[in-house]
Amino acid sequence: MSYADTWIHAPDVAWTSDESRVVVLDLGREDAVPLALEGSGSAIWLALDGVMDTAAIIDSLSTKFDVPRSEIDFVVVTFLRDLRRRGLISLQGVHGDEASHRGGRGARL
């Protein structure tokens, strides 16, 4: 993973949010369990717009939560890797097996 990577919600992922959390569900899996994200997890999810790269997301959270960038860098990168491993996000512009195998686009409920 690179700090220049930009991320999008994966195809067939539906999500909804309110002022305190985001709930994500992978519609492409029959055994999917909703994932509730709060605090920084919610902020990271909402930043995945295909425009902000990893470095910009880290900077944004550093400002939002008034935490030095050096203290959240590892946490944000680890969280993005976990979301990717779960198939909930993909790299912007990747059209191989990872991003397009399910077709469609992430959907907000």
Side-chain angles (χ1 to χ4, degrees), residues 6 12 15 17 20 27 29 36 43-45 50 52 58 61 66 76 89 100 108:
T6 56
D12 290 345
W15 60 280
S17 66
S20 65
L27 300 175
R29 295 183 51 182
I44 293 169
W45 183 266
M52 290 178 63
I58 293 167
L61 266 67
D66 194 26
V76 172
I89 65 172
S100 64
R108 182 168 183 186

Side-chain angles (χ1 to χ4, degrees), residues 91-103:
L91 290 170
Q92 171 72 357
V94 173
H95 298 292
D97 290 335
E98 176 185 335
S100 64
H101 71 281
R102 291 188 276 182

